[in-house]
Amino acid sequence: MELGDRVRDLLIKYGKIYEERTPKSREFLNRARKVLPGGTTYQIRYYRPYPVYITKALGTRVWDLDGNSYVDYWMGHGTHILGHSPDVVINAVAEAMREGTHLGYANTLEVEYAELLTRVIPNVDMVRFSNSGTEANMYAVRLARAYTGRRYIVKMEGGWHGGYDGLHVGVNPPFEGPESLGLPEEHIKYTLVVPFNDLNALETALRTHDVAAVIMEPVLGSGGCITPEPGYLKGVRELVDRYGSLLILDEVITGFRLALGGGQEFFNVKADIVTLGKIVGGGMPGAGAIASRQEIMDYLDQIKRPSARSRSFHGGTFTGNRVTLTAGYALISYLNQHRSLYDEFNSLWNDIRKDLDRACEDHDRICWVTGAGSMVGIHFTRRRPTNARIAFMERINEEIYELAHLYMRVNGILYMTEHMLHLLPSMKHTREEARQLVESLENLLSEVTGK
Protein backbone atom coordinates (compact mmCIF):
# COMPACT_ATOMS: atom_id res chain seq x y z
CA MET A 1 0.00 0.00 0.00
CA GLU A 2 1.27 3.47 -0.86
CA LEU A 3 2.07 5.95 1.91
CA GLY A 4 -0.80 8.26 0.95
CA ASP A 5 -3.31 5.40 1.07
CA ARG A 6 -2.09 4.26 4.51
CA VAL A 7 -2.33 7.81 5.83
CA ARG A 8 -5.88 8.24 4.55
CA ASP A 9 -6.96 4.89 6.04
CA LEU A 10 -5.48 5.89 9.39
CA LEU A 11 -7.24 9.26 9.26
CA ILE A 12 -10.54 7.43 8.92
CA LYS A 13 -9.67 4.97 11.70
CA TYR A 14 -8.58 7.56 14.25
CA GLY A 15 -11.22 10.07 13.16
CA LYS A 16 -13.90 7.62 14.31
CA ILE A 17 -12.15 7.08 17.65
CA TYR A 18 -11.79 10.84 18.13
CA GLU A 19 -15.46 11.47 17.46
CA GLU A 20 -16.44 8.74 19.93
CA ARG A 21 -14.28 10.40 22.61
CA THR A 22 -15.37 14.00 22.04
CA PRO A 23 -19.12 14.26 21.25
CA LYS A 24 -19.61 17.39 23.36
CA SER A 25 -16.90 19.28 21.49
CA ARG A 26 -18.47 18.24 18.18
CA GLU A 27 -21.80 19.64 19.33
CA PHE A 28 -20.19 22.75 20.74
CA LEU A 29 -18.63 23.66 17.39
CA ASN A 30 -22.13 24.16 15.94
CA ARG A 31 -22.93 26.57 18.77
CA ALA A 32 -19.59 28.33 18.44
CA ARG A 33 -19.91 28.92 14.69
CA LYS A 34 -23.08 30.95 15.23
CA VAL A 35 -21.16 33.62 17.17
CA LEU A 36 -17.48 33.10 16.30
CA PRO A 37 -16.30 33.00 12.66
CA GLY A 38 -14.98 29.48 12.14
CA GLY A 39 -15.96 28.58 15.70
CA THR A 40 -12.76 29.93 17.29
CA THR A 41 -11.08 33.23 18.15
CA TYR A 42 -7.90 32.35 16.20
CA GLN A 43 -7.90 30.22 13.07
CA ILE A 44 -4.93 28.06 14.10
CA ARG A 45 -7.02 26.79 17.04
CA TYR A 46 -9.31 25.01 14.60
CA TYR A 47 -8.38 21.52 13.46
CA ARG A 48 -10.28 18.79 11.70
CA PRO A 49 -12.86 17.44 12.07
CA TYR A 50 -13.39 19.91 14.95
CA PRO A 51 -11.34 21.18 17.88
CA VAL A 52 -11.68 20.00 21.44
CA TYR A 53 -12.99 22.86 23.55
CA ILE A 54 -10.85 23.22 26.65
CA THR A 55 -12.43 23.96 30.02
CA LYS A 56 -9.50 23.75 32.46
CA ALA A 57 -5.71 23.81 32.57
CA LEU A 58 -3.29 23.03 35.38
CA GLY A 59 0.40 22.19 35.36
CA THR A 60 1.17 20.29 32.16
CA ARG A 61 -2.40 19.24 31.40
CA VAL A 62 -5.63 20.54 29.89
CA TRP A 63 -9.13 19.07 30.02
CA ASP A 64 -11.88 19.21 27.40
CA LEU A 65 -15.69 19.36 27.56
CA ASP A 66 -15.93 15.58 27.68
CA GLY A 67 -13.50 15.36 30.58
CA ASN A 68 -10.62 13.99 28.50
CA SER A 69 -7.17 14.93 29.82
CA TYR A 70 -4.26 15.85 27.54
CA VAL A 71 -0.59 16.50 28.13
CA ASP A 72 -0.24 19.99 26.69
CA TYR A 73 2.73 20.73 24.44
CA TRP A 74 1.45 24.11 23.26
CA MET A 75 1.29 25.71 26.71
CA GLY A 76 -0.59 28.87 25.82
CA HIS A 77 1.38 29.40 22.58
CA GLY A 78 4.63 28.86 24.52
CA THR A 79 3.69 31.29 27.29
CA HIS A 80 3.55 28.97 30.29
CA ILE A 81 7.21 28.13 30.91
CA LEU A 82 6.36 27.03 34.49
CA GLY A 83 3.19 25.22 33.46
CA HIS A 84 -0.40 26.40 33.68
CA SER A 85 -1.30 28.51 36.75
CA PRO A 86 1.95 28.34 38.75
CA ASP A 87 1.45 29.35 42.38
CA VAL A 88 4.29 31.87 42.28
CA VAL A 89 2.38 33.86 39.65
CA ILE A 90 -1.21 33.28 40.77
CA ASN A 91 -0.52 34.31 44.37
CA ALA A 92 1.31 37.48 43.33
CA VAL A 93 -1.45 38.51 40.92
CA ALA A 94 -4.26 37.81 43.43
CA GLU A 95 -2.61 40.13 45.92
CA ALA A 96 -1.83 42.86 43.39
CA MET A 97 -5.36 42.96 41.93
CA ARG A 98 -6.77 44.15 45.24
CA GLU A 99 -4.76 47.35 44.77
CA GLY A 100 -6.03 47.95 41.23
CA THR A 101 -5.95 45.99 37.99
CA HIS A 102 -4.89 48.87 35.78
CA LEU A 103 -3.70 52.10 37.32
CA GLY A 104 -3.47 54.09 34.08
CA TYR A 105 -0.62 56.23 35.42
CA ALA A 106 3.13 55.93 35.77
CA ASN A 107 3.68 53.40 38.52
CA THR A 108 6.50 51.90 40.55
CA LEU A 109 6.12 48.35 39.26
CA GLU A 110 6.89 49.26 35.64
CA VAL A 111 10.19 50.72 36.84
CA GLU A 112 11.06 47.74 39.04
CA TYR A 113 10.24 45.25 36.29
CA ALA A 114 12.20 47.21 33.68
CA GLU A 115 15.18 47.24 36.05
CA LEU A 116 14.96 43.46 36.38
CA LEU A 117 14.73 42.93 32.63
CA THR A 118 17.79 45.10 31.95
CA ARG A 119 19.72 42.93 34.41
CA VAL A 120 18.80 39.59 32.86
CA ILE A 121 18.61 40.43 29.13
CA PRO A 122 22.01 41.05 27.53
CA ASN A 123 22.86 44.27 25.68
CA VAL A 124 19.86 46.36 26.75
CA ASP A 125 19.68 49.50 28.87
CA MET A 126 16.02 50.42 28.66
CA VAL A 127 12.57 48.85 28.21
CA ARG A 128 9.11 49.90 27.06
CA PHE A 129 6.14 47.60 27.66
CA SER A 130 3.53 46.85 25.00
CA ASN A 131 0.32 44.84 24.85
CA SER A 132 1.53 41.92 22.73
CA GLY A 133 4.45 40.53 20.77
CA THR A 134 2.81 41.87 17.62
CA GLU A 135 2.80 45.36 19.06
CA ALA A 136 6.40 45.01 20.22
CA ASN A 137 7.49 44.14 16.69
CA MET A 138 5.46 46.98 15.19
CA TYR A 139 7.03 49.53 17.52
CA ALA A 140 10.50 48.03 17.08
CA VAL A 141 10.30 48.38 13.30
CA ARG A 142 9.15 51.98 13.64
CA LEU A 143 11.94 52.69 16.14
CA ALA A 144 14.58 51.19 13.84
CA ARG A 145 13.41 53.38 10.98
CA ALA A 146 13.44 56.44 13.20
CA TYR A 147 16.97 55.73 14.42
CA THR A 148 18.50 54.89 11.03
CA GLY A 149 16.43 57.16 8.80
CA ARG A 150 16.01 54.23 6.41
CA ARG A 151 12.91 52.56 4.96
CA TYR A 152 13.35 48.83 4.28
CA ILE A 153 12.98 45.92 6.70
CA VAL A 154 14.34 42.45 5.98
CA LYS A 155 12.57 39.40 7.42
CA MET A 156 12.99 35.65 7.00
CA GLU A 157 10.82 33.22 5.06
CA GLY A 158 8.62 31.45 7.58
CA GLY A 159 9.28 34.04 10.25
CA TRP A 160 6.14 34.99 12.17
CA HIS A 161 6.14 38.38 13.88
CA GLY A 162 2.42 38.79 14.51
CA GLY A 163 -0.36 40.42 12.54
CA TYR A 164 1.29 43.82 11.95
CA ASP A 165 0.74 44.81 8.31
CA GLY A 166 4.35 45.61 7.51
CA LEU A 167 5.58 42.16 8.57
CA HIS A 168 2.60 40.09 7.41
CA VAL A 169 4.43 38.71 4.39
CA GLY A 170 6.71 35.75 3.70
CA VAL A 171 5.16 33.51 6.35
CA ASN A 172 3.74 30.72 4.17
CA PRO A 173 4.49 29.48 0.63
CA PRO A 174 5.01 31.04 -1.85
CA PHE A 175 6.57 33.50 0.66
CA GLU A 176 5.60 36.55 -1.33
CA GLY A 177 2.66 38.95 -1.40
CA PRO A 178 0.25 39.80 1.44
CA GLU A 179 -0.59 36.97 3.83
CA SER A 180 -4.14 38.22 4.30
CA LEU A 181 -7.09 39.59 2.38
CA GLY A 182 -7.53 43.26 3.13
CA LEU A 183 -3.79 43.89 3.25
CA PRO A 184 -2.75 46.17 0.36
CA GLU A 185 0.51 45.46 -1.44
CA GLU A 186 1.59 48.99 -0.58
CA HIS A 187 1.74 48.08 3.10
CA ILE A 188 4.51 45.54 2.49
CA LYS A 189 6.39 47.40 -0.27
CA TYR A 190 9.27 48.15 2.10
CA THR A 191 9.55 44.59 3.46
CA LEU A 192 12.11 42.25 1.89
CA VAL A 193 11.94 38.50 2.47
CA VAL A 194 14.99 36.20 2.38
CA PRO A 195 15.51 32.54 3.31
CA PHE A 196 16.67 31.71 6.83
CA ASN A 197 20.25 30.41 7.02
CA ASP A 198 21.19 32.13 3.74
CA LEU A 199 23.83 34.84 4.23
CA ASN A 200 24.23 35.46 0.50
CA ALA A 201 20.56 36.35 0.07
CA LEU A 202 20.70 38.58 3.13
CA GLU A 203 23.78 40.43 1.88
CA THR A 204 22.15 41.04 -1.49
CA ALA A 205 19.16 42.65 0.22
CA LEU A 206 21.38 44.78 2.45
CA ARG A 207 23.60 45.87 -0.43
CA THR A 208 20.80 46.85 -2.79
CA HIS A 209 18.33 48.60 -0.44
CA ASP A 210 18.43 51.18 2.35
CA VAL A 211 17.66 48.66 5.11
CA ALA A 212 16.77 50.01 8.54
CA ALA A 213 16.77 46.62 10.23
CA VAL A 214 16.81 42.88 9.86
CA ILE A 215 14.13 41.31 12.06
CA MET A 216 14.41 37.61 12.81
CA GLU A 217 13.75 34.92 15.38
CA PRO A 218 16.93 33.25 16.65
CA VAL A 219 15.06 29.97 16.05
CA LEU A 220 12.16 29.96 13.58
CA GLY A 221 9.04 29.34 15.63
CA SER A 222 5.96 28.74 13.49
CA GLY A 223 8.38 27.97 10.65
CA GLY A 224 9.03 24.67 12.43
CA CYS A 225 11.54 25.28 15.25
CA ILE A 226 14.40 25.50 12.76
CA THR A 227 17.78 26.44 14.22
CA PRO A 228 20.52 28.65 12.81
CA GLU A 229 23.35 26.80 11.13
CA PRO A 230 26.81 27.18 12.74
CA GLY A 231 28.14 30.66 12.08
CA TYR A 232 24.88 31.98 10.64
CA LEU A 233 23.92 34.38 13.43
CA LYS A 234 27.50 35.62 13.67
CA GLY A 235 27.37 36.25 9.93
CA VAL A 236 24.08 38.15 10.24
CA ARG A 237 25.59 40.36 12.93
CA GLU A 238 28.62 41.11 10.77
CA LEU A 239 26.47 41.95 7.74
CA VAL A 240 24.15 44.37 9.53
CA ASP A 241 27.17 46.13 10.99
CA ARG A 242 28.86 46.31 7.59
CA TYR A 243 25.83 47.87 5.93
CA GLY A 244 24.75 50.13 8.80
CA SER A 245 21.49 48.36 9.65
CA LEU A 246 20.10 47.22 12.99
CA LEU A 247 19.41 43.67 14.14
CA ILE A 248 16.03 43.15 15.78
CA LEU A 249 15.81 39.78 17.52
CA ASP A 250 12.21 38.71 17.89
CA GLU A 251 12.42 36.82 21.19
CA VAL A 252 8.69 36.49 21.69
CA ILE A 253 9.15 32.70 21.80
CA THR A 254 12.87 32.29 22.56
CA GLY A 255 12.97 34.97 25.27
CA PHE A 256 13.29 33.33 28.73
CA ARG A 257 12.82 29.94 27.04
CA LEU A 258 16.19 29.03 25.57
CA ALA A 259 17.91 30.77 28.48
CA LEU A 260 17.07 33.53 30.94
CA GLY A 261 18.80 35.91 28.53
CA GLY A 262 17.02 34.36 25.56
CA GLY A 263 18.59 33.69 22.19
CA GLN A 264 21.26 36.33 22.74
CA GLU A 265 22.62 34.35 25.69
CA PHE A 266 21.99 30.91 24.18
CA PHE A 267 23.68 31.64 20.84
CA ASN A 268 26.09 34.37 22.01
CA VAL A 269 24.77 36.91 19.52
CA LYS A 270 24.18 40.62 20.12
CA ALA A 271 20.92 42.30 19.13
CA ASP A 272 20.33 46.02 18.70
CA ILE A 273 16.65 45.73 19.64
CA VAL A 274 14.94 42.82 21.40
CA THR A 275 11.20 42.22 21.20
CA LEU A 276 9.41 40.18 23.84
CA GLY A 277 5.98 38.66 24.41
CA LYS A 278 4.40 35.54 25.89
CA ILE A 279 6.61 34.64 28.90
CA VAL A 280 7.39 38.30 29.66
CA GLY A 281 3.76 38.66 30.82
CA GLY A 282 3.90 35.70 33.19
CA GLY A 283 0.92 34.00 31.55
CA MET A 284 -1.37 37.03 31.66
CA PRO A 285 -2.74 38.80 28.56
CA GLY A 286 -1.17 42.01 27.30
CA ALA A 287 2.37 40.62 27.30
CA GLY A 288 4.94 42.50 25.26
CA ALA A 289 8.04 44.67 25.48
CA ILE A 290 10.81 46.24 23.42
CA ALA A 291 14.29 46.59 24.86
CA SER A 292 17.42 48.21 23.50
CA ARG A 293 20.39 50.39 24.34
CA GLN A 294 19.82 53.97 25.44
CA GLU A 295 20.88 55.75 22.25
CA ILE A 296 18.14 53.92 20.33
CA MET A 297 15.49 54.11 23.06
CA ASP A 298 16.09 57.86 23.30
CA TYR A 299 13.96 58.14 20.15
CA LEU A 300 10.96 57.25 22.37
CA ASP A 301 11.87 59.80 25.07
CA GLN A 302 9.29 62.59 25.31
CA ILE A 303 11.54 64.59 27.66
CA LYS A 304 14.51 64.59 25.31
CA ARG A 305 12.27 64.90 22.26
CA PRO A 306 9.23 66.95 23.33
CA SER A 307 7.81 67.43 19.85
CA ALA A 308 5.62 64.47 18.85
CA ARG A 309 7.08 64.42 15.35
CA SER A 310 10.65 64.39 16.62
CA ARG A 311 10.27 60.98 18.22
CA SER A 312 8.92 57.50 17.44
CA PHE A 313 5.47 56.97 18.91
CA HIS A 314 4.81 54.23 21.43
CA GLY A 315 1.86 53.88 23.78
CA GLY A 316 -1.42 52.13 24.51
CA THR A 317 -4.13 52.17 27.16
CA PHE A 318 -3.13 48.94 28.85
CA THR A 319 0.63 49.23 28.58
CA GLY A 320 2.16 48.72 32.01
CA ASN A 321 -1.03 47.32 33.53
CA ARG A 322 -0.58 46.03 37.05
CA VAL A 323 -1.83 42.48 36.49
CA THR A 324 0.48 41.63 33.59
CA LEU A 325 3.52 43.36 35.07
CA THR A 326 2.99 41.64 38.42
CA ALA A 327 2.74 38.24 36.75
CA GLY A 328 5.79 38.87 34.59
CA TYR A 329 7.86 40.25 37.45
CA ALA A 330 7.00 37.27 39.68
CA LEU A 331 7.83 34.74 36.95
CA ILE A 332 11.10 36.29 35.76
CA SER A 333 12.22 36.85 39.35
CA TYR A 334 11.62 33.17 40.05
CA LEU A 335 13.55 32.09 36.96
CA ASN A 336 16.37 34.46 37.87
CA GLN A 337 16.58 32.89 41.32
CA HIS A 338 16.50 29.33 39.90
CA ARG A 339 18.77 29.54 36.86
CA SER A 340 19.78 25.89 37.22
CA LEU A 341 16.31 24.98 35.93
CA TYR A 342 17.51 25.85 32.43
CA ASP A 343 20.28 23.26 32.52
CA GLU A 344 17.83 20.52 33.50
CA PHE A 345 15.18 21.77 31.06
CA ASN A 346 17.44 21.96 28.02
CA SER A 347 19.20 18.70 28.88
CA LEU A 348 15.89 16.82 29.00
CA TRP A 349 14.70 18.13 25.65
CA ASN A 350 18.08 17.63 24.00
CA ASP A 351 17.73 13.98 24.96
CA ILE A 352 14.12 13.79 23.81
CA ARG A 353 14.92 15.36 20.43
CA LYS A 354 17.58 12.68 19.91
CA ASP A 355 15.08 9.97 20.81
CA LEU A 356 12.46 11.42 18.48
CA ASP A 357 14.97 11.69 15.66
CA ARG A 358 16.08 8.10 16.25
CA ALA A 359 12.46 7.04 15.81
CA CYS A 360 12.43 8.85 12.46
CA GLU A 361 15.66 7.11 11.46
CA ASP A 362 14.34 3.71 12.50
CA HIS A 363 11.27 4.17 10.30
CA ASP A 364 12.93 4.70 6.94
CA ARG A 365 13.90 8.30 7.77
CA ILE A 366 10.30 9.36 7.20
CA CYS A 367 10.86 12.46 9.32
CA TRP A 368 13.46 14.78 10.81
CA VAL A 369 13.63 16.53 14.16
CA THR A 370 14.78 20.12 14.61
CA GLY A 371 14.98 22.56 17.48
CA ALA A 372 17.09 23.98 20.28
CA GLY A 373 16.66 23.98 24.02
CA SER A 374 13.01 23.14 24.69
CA MET A 375 11.80 23.91 21.16
CA VAL A 376 10.97 20.82 19.12
CA GLY A 377 9.97 20.48 15.46
CA ILE A 378 9.14 17.25 13.62
CA HIS A 379 9.16 17.39 9.81
CA PHE A 380 7.97 14.81 7.29
CA THR A 381 10.30 16.09 4.58
CA ARG A 382 12.76 14.63 2.09
CA ARG A 383 15.70 16.16 3.95
CA ARG A 384 16.37 17.89 7.23
CA PRO A 385 14.98 21.41 6.86
CA THR A 386 17.34 24.34 7.35
CA ASN A 387 14.73 26.90 6.34
CA ALA A 388 10.97 27.23 6.07
CA ARG A 389 10.97 26.71 2.30
CA ILE A 390 12.26 23.15 2.77
CA ALA A 391 9.94 22.58 5.75
CA PHE A 392 6.85 23.50 3.73
CA MET A 393 7.67 22.67 0.12
CA GLU A 394 9.61 19.40 0.41
CA ARG A 395 7.03 17.47 2.39
CA ILE A 396 6.60 13.82 1.51
CA ASN A 397 2.89 14.01 2.32
CA GLU A 398 0.67 16.85 3.54
CA GLU A 399 -2.02 14.74 5.20
CA ILE A 400 0.48 13.04 7.49
CA TYR A 401 0.62 16.25 9.56
CA GLU A 402 -3.14 16.10 10.01
CA LEU A 403 -2.86 12.44 10.95
CA ALA A 404 -0.10 13.10 13.48
CA HIS A 405 -2.23 15.76 15.19
CA LEU A 406 -5.29 13.51 15.25
CA TYR A 407 -3.30 10.50 16.47
CA MET A 408 -1.73 12.48 19.32
CA ARG A 409 -5.13 13.84 20.38
CA VAL A 410 -6.55 10.33 20.57
CA ASN A 411 -3.53 9.34 22.66
CA GLY A 412 -3.84 12.18 25.14
CA ILE A 413 -1.34 14.67 23.69
CA LEU A 414 -2.26 18.13 22.43
CA TYR A 415 -0.32 20.75 20.49
CA MET A 416 -0.74 23.27 17.65
CA THR A 417 -1.09 23.08 14.69
CA GLU A 418 -2.23 20.27 12.44
CA HIS A 419 -0.20 21.88 9.64
CA MET A 420 3.14 22.04 11.48
CA LEU A 421 4.29 19.67 14.21
CA HIS A 422 6.14 21.89 16.66
CA LEU A 423 6.14 21.71 20.43
CA LEU A 424 6.82 24.21 23.23
CA PRO A 425 6.92 22.25 26.51
CA SER A 426 7.25 23.72 29.99
CA MET A 427 9.71 23.17 32.80
CA LYS A 428 6.98 21.17 34.55
CA HIS A 429 6.87 18.43 31.92
CA THR A 430 8.39 15.29 33.35
CA ARG A 431 10.71 12.82 31.68
CA GLU A 432 7.88 10.28 31.90
CA GLU A 433 5.55 12.58 29.98
CA ALA A 434 8.28 13.24 27.43
CA ARG A 435 8.85 9.50 27.02
CA GLN A 436 5.11 9.11 26.36
CA LEU A 437 5.55 11.58 23.51
CA VAL A 438 8.43 9.56 22.05
CA GLU A 439 6.49 6.29 22.35
CA SER A 440 3.44 7.86 20.71
CA LEU A 441 5.53 9.02 17.76
CA GLU A 442 7.15 5.58 17.48
CA ASN A 443 3.73 3.91 17.44
CA LEU A 444 2.39 6.36 14.86
CA LEU A 445 5.39 5.83 12.57
CA SER A 446 5.01 2.06 12.89
CA GLU A 447 1.42 2.29 11.68
CA VAL A 448 2.34 4.63 8.84
CA THR A 449 5.35 2.64 7.60
CA GLY A 450 4.16 -0.84 8.52
CA LYS A 451 7.37 -1.51 10.49
Side-chain angles (χ1 to χ4, degrees):
M1 183 183 295
E2 294 294 324
L3 174 65
D5 294 331
R6 288 198 297 272
V7 169
R8 282 187 287 275
D9 286 349
L10 290 170
L11 278 169
I12 294 171
K13 171 184 174 181
Y14 286 103
K16 292 177 180 177
I17 297 173
Y18 178 70
E19 292 188 17
E20 290 171 358
R21 286 167 50 90
T22 58
K24 291 182 180 179
S25 283
R26 183 180 63 245
E27 295 170 6
F28 204 79
L29 176 65
N30 296 327
R31 175 180 170 185
R33 292 191 67 188
K34 294 176 182 178
V35 290
L36 297 172
T40 66
T41 53
Y42 192 173
Q43 82 279 357
I44 67 170
R45 295 174 185 165
Y46 175 82
Y47 37 83
R48 288 168 285 192
Y50 52 85
V52 286
Y53 285 86
I54 300 301
T55 60
K56 177 184 174 183
L58 185 64
T60 63
R61 292 184 173 269
V62 294
W63 286 263
D64 69 16
L65 266 174
D66 288 278
N68 298 306
S69 171
Y70 306 84
V71 180
D72 184 9
Y73 282 101
W74 191 235
M75 300 308 294
H77 297 243
T79 296
H80 302 302
I81 193 76
L82 288 183
H84 290 282
S85 303
D87 289 341
V88 65
V89 172
I90 298 302
N91 293 340
V93 168
E95 182 177 347
M97 287 177 65
R98 298 187 182 95
E99 299 175 358
T101 58
H102 179 48
L103 304 179
Y105 295 98
N107 60 79
T108 56
L109 184 56
E110 61 188 8
V111 177
E112 293 166 359
Y113 193 16
E115 288 172 340
L116 174 60
L117 292 178
T118 60
R119 289 197 299 271
V120 301
I121 302 172
N123 307 310
V124 305
D125 303 317
M126 308 185 85
V127 176
R128 274 286 185 94
F129 295 103
S130 65
N131 290 307
S132 66
T134 294
E135 276 194 11
N137 286 322
M138 177 184 72
Y139 286 125
V141 164
R142 185 180 295 172
L143 180 59
R145 285 175 168 147
Y147 179 78
T148 62
R150 298 180 177 186
R151 297 172 296 171
Y152 283 88
I153 301 295
V154 178
K155 73 173 295 287
M156 305 297 146
E157 290 180 351
W160 171 245
H161 305 290
Y164 164 53
D165 282 7
L167 297 175
H168 208 176
V169 60
V171 180
N172 299 293
F175 302 113
E176 58 187 31
E179 289 281 342
S180 171
L181 287 178
L183 176 56
E185 289 272 359
E186 291 80 7
H187 288 208
I188 57 171
K189 67 184 289 188
Y190 294 118
T191 306
L192 308 172
V193 183
V194 300
F196 191 67
N197 277 321
D198 189 335
L199 291 175
N200 291 331
L202 176 59
E203 182 168 18
T204 297
L206 290 168
R207 187 179 65 248
T208 56
H209 296 79
D210 62 325
V211 174
V214 174
I215 184 169
M216 63 183 297
E217 302 166 278
V219 177
L220 286 183
S222 65
C225 295
I226 296 173
T227 54
E229 293 290 280
Y232 174 65
L233 292 178
K234 180 175 182 289
V236 172
R237 179 72 260 179
E238 290 173 350
L239 286 174
V240 295
D241 287 341
R242 184 185 309 166
Y243 290 96
S245 303
L246 299 182
L247 175 58
I248 303 172
L249 278 191
D250 178 342
E251 298 242 44
V252 171
I253 292 177
T254 55
F256 316 111
R257 171 169 289 277
L258 296 180
L260 188 62
Q264 288 193 97
E265 178 183 337
F266 190 86
F267 292 112
N268 190 28
V269 61
K270 182 179 179 180
D272 295 301
I273 302 174
V274 175
T275 61
L276 300 164
K278 302 186 189 300
I279 296 171
V280 79
M284 293 295 166
I290 54 176
S292 184
R293 59 183 184 268
Q294 182 178 336
E295 65 179 295
I296 295 175
M297 297 295 276
D298 276 351
Y299 279 77
L300 302 173
D301 190 331
Q302 75 282 353
I303 297 174
K304 293 181 178 179
R305 294 173 171 269
S307 171
R309 295 192 179 186
S310 71
R311 62 180 183 269
S312 182
F313 175 78
H314 163 267
T317 297
F318 286 101
T319 53
N321 79 84
R322 189 177 185 86
V323 174
T324 302
L325 292 195
T326 296
Y329 185 82
L331 179 59
I332 303 307
S333 295
Y334 182 88
L335 293 174
N336 187 35
Q337 295 160 11
H338 299 83
R339 289 182 179 236
S340 63
L341 288 173
Y342 284 99
D343 294 330
E344 301 166 14
F345 191 33
N346 289 340
S347 176
L348 169 61
W349 288 98
N350 286 338
D351 290 344
I352 295 302
R353 266 195 312 277
K354 292 175 183 176
D355 291 343
L356 292 168
D357 198 60
R358 191 175 302 112
C360 296
E361 176 70 32
D362 291 343
H363 292 84
D364 304 324
R365 185 45 83 182
I366 193 175
C367 49
W368 306 81
V369 177
T370 60
S374 58
M375 299 175 68
V376 181
I378 302 174
H379 305 268
F380 295 90
T381 49
R382 291 191 290 273
R383 54 178 167 150
R384 182 183 179 275
T386 56
N387 59 46
R389 187 171 291 268
I390 296 172
F392 280 102
M393 302 182 75
E394 295 193 21
R395 295 182 170 188
I396 60 172
N397 182 281
E398 192 67 41
E399 289 181 315
I400 199 170
Y401 288 86
E402 182 182 346
L403 172 62
H405 196 275
L406 175 62
Y407 182 88
M408 293 297 180
R409 270 179 272 157
V410 168
N411 285 277
I413 293 171
L414 202 57
Y415 65 89
M416 292 289 182
T417 69
E418 66 175 349
H419 305 293
M420 179 67 78
L421 206 174
H422 55 307
L423 314 171
L424 299 170
S426 75
M427 291 178 172
K428 292 298 181 180
H429 282 80
T430 65
R431 186 170 291 272
E432 290 71 28
E433 287 171 329
R435 281 301 311 165
Q436 178 194 353
L437 172 69
V438 175
E439 291 168 5
S440 295
L441 181 67
E442 290 173 337
N443 293 337
L444 169 63
L445 297 184
S446 293
E447 292 208 48
V448 169
T449 63
K451 292 187 67 174

